[in-house]
Amino acid sequence: DPGSIAFGSWNNNQHAGDPNNPGVGFSANSPGHRVFAMVSYRKEYFNFGATTLSLFWEGRTIGNASYTFSGDINGDGGTSNDLIYIHRNKTEMNFQTYTSGGKTFTGAEQADAWDKYIKQDPYLSENRGKYAERGAIFLPMVFRMDFSIVQEFFTNIFDKRNTLQLRADIINFGNLLNSDWGVSQRLVNAQPLLAVSGAPADAAGKVQYRLRQVNGQWMNKSYEQTAFESDVWRIQFSIRYIFN
């Protein structure tokens, strides 16, 4: 029964409730997908110098996670390892009606919000009626490109060519062209369901839980953009002298 105490702890269905016998899951270091391409063009003119233009483009998965309860839903002592059950429909849900800050939040309105959340989430919507798999939530791929230009100046010293090299690298070059490009995403929260303290059951013996709120609103989207240094464009300059 999806409302019972048999929520898995780092398990899949076949081992639900037994943290000492975990099912097969994805490693926290799973690489996901990666694709890349590089192009470079170098033009040397006379004996004066040369110019090189290079572009590196990459798309990759930036990580994975697990959908778990916030709290100990099965009484095993762990508060962040209980994988959620992905309800087939609202009839399987068992949200607790509670009052906070003078306002009552009914189980029905939480069920409505959770059903909408499942529908907009790629993984949850495709796996209704199952327990979430460990590490199976792969974050959206991020696509970035780096651009570099190298200017070389030649000079002969003792009949040997020496080179003065000036270089500029623009990292995450696409973000310089468009502020929406090259920005990664992360989960708003990997624990959308809150275990009620002590995992109390209702009159029928089924476990109850609550839906997480973010900024005073029910969770309504899986991902949000990040704002790290790697999400914005950067430029670096270098100088190099090559002796021959």
Side-chain angles (χ1 to χ4, degrees), residues 79-209:
T79 59
S80 61
N81 65 340
D82 297 340
L83 297 166
I84 67 171
Y85 174 78
I86 309 166
H87 306 88
R88 288 185 179 88
N89 49 54
K90 286 186 282 189
T91 63
E92 291 188 339
M93 301 176 190
N94 197 34
F95 286 97
Q96 181 192 56
T97 295
Y98 67 98
T99 300
S100 178
K103 182 178 180 180
T104 298
F105 302 96
T106 68
E109 64 180 317
Q110 292 176 76
D112 287 339
W114 177 234
D115 191 61
K116 292 178 182 178
Y117 184 90
I118 291 176
K119 290 177 180 178
Q120 63 82 45
D121 185 283
Y123 177 79
L124 296 178
S125 61
E126 293 179 5
N127 290 278
R128 301 192 79 146
K130 303 176 184 178
Y131 285 88
E133 298 172 272
R134 172 166 52 88
I137 315 302
F138 285 88
L139 299 178
M141 293 181 67
V142 60
F143 298 91
R144 292 177 177 145
M145 57 181 169
D146 301 331
F147 175 75
S148 68
I149 179 171
V150 179
Q151 180 62 54
E152 297 173 291
F153 300 97
F154 305 140
T155 184
N156 289 323
I157 299 178
F158 301 115
D159 294 326
K160 292 184 178 181
R161 189 168 78 174
N162 285 233
T163 304
L164 175 64
Q165 188 181 89
L166 305 178
R167 180 183 181 115
D169 293 281
I170 304 177
I171 303 169
N172 201 359
F173 177 63
N175 187 257
L176 174 62
L177 304 178
N178 187 316
S179 60
D180 292 328
W181 293 355
V183 180
S184 60
Q185 298 182 70
R186 65 183 176 190
L187 284 170
V188 173
N189 197 296
Q191 296 182 313
L193 301 180
L194 309 178
V196 179
S197 179
D202 61 12
K206 296 181 179 180
V207 171
Q208 294 182 300
Y209 32 83

Side-chain angles (χ1 to χ4, degrees), residues 28-41:
N29 299 311
S30 295
H33 302 289
R34 183 173 185 250
V35 60
F36 62 91
M38 184 176 68
V39 61
S40 182
Y41 176 78

